[in-house]
Every structure is written in C-alpha cells, then in structure tokens.
Amino acid sequence: MRSLKILRAHKKEVVDSWVEAVFATYPLETTGFLRTASDPFTNPVAHMTREAAGVLFDAVAGEDVEAATVRASLDRFVKLRAVQKFAPSQSLAVFYLMKPILREKVMPEMRLKGRLEDYLEAESRLDTLALLAFDIYSEARETVAESRIKEIKNQHAQLARWAQRLENGPDLAQAPGPESPETAPRDHADPGQNPSQAR
C-alpha cells in the first residue's frame, strides 16, 4: 500500500509529462493546438490522449481498475494512432515513453524507501499494457486494410460498369431520332422564302 501511495503522489506530473511526450510526436504546427484546445469535440486527439494517460498510469500503479475500462480507453487511443500517418513503431513507441518518466520522477523515492521491487513490478505492468496496445493496433490496422480493399473493389466495379456502357455505346452517341433538329418538320416558312413556295 505504501508503494501505491508513492505512485499516487506522482500521478499528475507523470501523466502531464507523458501527454507532452505524446504531443511531441505530432508535427510542430499541430502541437500548439493539441496543448491549447480543450474541447473534446474540436480536439479529440488531446482528449483521448489525456484520457488514456490517466487510465494507463492507474493500471501501471496497480490501482483497482476494471480491465474493461483499461481496454476501452486504450482502444480509443490506439485506434486513433493506427489511422494517423505514423509507422507502427512510432504509433506504439509512445507507451514506452512513460518508462523514462517513471524512472526520473518515481523510482528514486521508491528506491530510497526500499520499494524498488514494487517499482519494477509497475514497469512490468507497463510492458504488459504495451503488448495489449500492440494487439489492439494490429486489429485496427486489419480493419483499415479491409475497408481499403472494399473501397478499391467498389471503385473497380464502378469502372467496369462504365466500361461496359462505353462498349455498348453511350446513350448520347445514338443517331438522331425522327424529332431531332436535322429531321424535325418546319412549322414556319423560311423568312427568305416566297410565301407561295412555303406550301
């Protein structure tokens, strides 16, 4: 319990530092917006990142967090990273960015108080959560790939139908009908004609 109390005391600084580290993985022009816009609807990336940070830390610390809660929070965060322009290693490396933060801000006190073994268990929990994130990421990328394949198939089907219409002859290319301008009867005499010739 004493170890959990130490971890709780450092939660805010660890969470804030990890969120900043995640924001730093985005392009420079995006980072400022992520830091300043707090509305979850206009800035869902920052909202999901902060949510994941709090749940991730609680799970690492050994809080009694429901497994479903941890999974749901990581699921939203990881799926967001999966559809962004990151390599797989870049998407998931953010979980390991918490480890040096913990070593800087938490480990010294826990070592000083003879709780180093408990600290190492916290790091082990972080490694386990990173593996869970990998599974979520793999599933998300499979879904993205399947959606892309379906999109390509739909595009191919549309092109095939278009090509078939061209092969059969486009509707607008049909020969002029009996009422077309070239063959339609003239209702009025030509202005340059003699009225007697108009009959």
Side-chain angles (χ1 to χ4, degrees):
M1 183 59 68
R2 287 177 57 190
S3 297
L4 181 57
K5 186 176 180 179
I6 295 171
L7 284 158
R8 284 173 178 167
H10 292 279
K11 178 177 178 176
K12 186 178 186 309
E13 59 181 327
V14 172
V15 166
D16 288 348
S17 296
W18 188 73
V19 168
E20 284 296 312
V22 174
F23 287 170
T25 65
Y26 290 92
L28 184 61
E29 61 272 14
T30 306
T31 306
F33 174 76
L34 292 175
R35 290 189 178 116
T36 56
S38 57
D39 189 338
F41 295 101
T42 59
N43 193 359
V45 173
H47 175 72
M48 290 182 190
T49 301
R50 292 191 178 97
E51 178 193 49
V55 174
L56 179 65
F57 181 86
D58 287 345
V60 168
E63 296 279 7
D64 188 17
V65 186
E66 290 288 337
T69 301
V70 177
R71 171 82 192 205
S73 180
L74 294 186
D75 190 77
R76 288 188 288 272
F77 175 71
V78 171
K79 284 181 177 178
L80 176 68
R81 300 282 292 184
V83 298
Q84 292 173 326
K85 294 181 179 179
F86 292 113
S89 58
Q90 293 174 314
S91 294
L92 298 176
V94 292
F95 288 92
Y96 294 103
L97 294 177
M98 186 175 279
K99 194 170 287 190
I101 296 171
L102 290 169
R103 289 179 179 178
E104 176 190 352
K105 300 183 181 300
V106 179
M107 187 174 71
E109 183 177 351
M110 294 191 74
R111 174 185 285 166
L112 185 65
K113 295 184 177 179
R115 299 287 173 173
L116 185 58
E117 184 176 346
D118 292 343
Y119 171 79
L120 294 176
E121 286 181 5
E123 279 201 3
S124 179
R125 286 191 287 270
L126 176 59
D127 292 336
T128 300
L129 291 166
L131 292 175
L132 172 61
F134 180 81
D135 288 340
I136 295 171
Y137 181 89
S138 299
E139 293 169 5
R141 291 302 298 174
E142 286 178 10
T143 302
V144 170
E146 289 171 0
S147 298
R148 181 57 181 154
I149 291 171
K150 184 176 180 181
E151 180 185 349
I152 292 172
K153 286 182 176 178
N154 289 338
Q155 291 175 350
H156 181 270
Q158 291 174 356
L159 287 173
R161 288 193 295 269
W162 180 74
Q164 188 175 13
R165 285 199 299 268
L166 285 181
E167 185 178 343
N168 295 335
D171 296 340
L172 296 178
Q174 291 179 356
E179 295 298 318
S180 65
E182 291 82 352
T183 59
R186 297 183 180 181
D187 297 331
H188 304 287
D190 185 68
Q193 243 183 348
N194 189 305
S196 62
Q197 295 175 334
R199 294 184 180 88

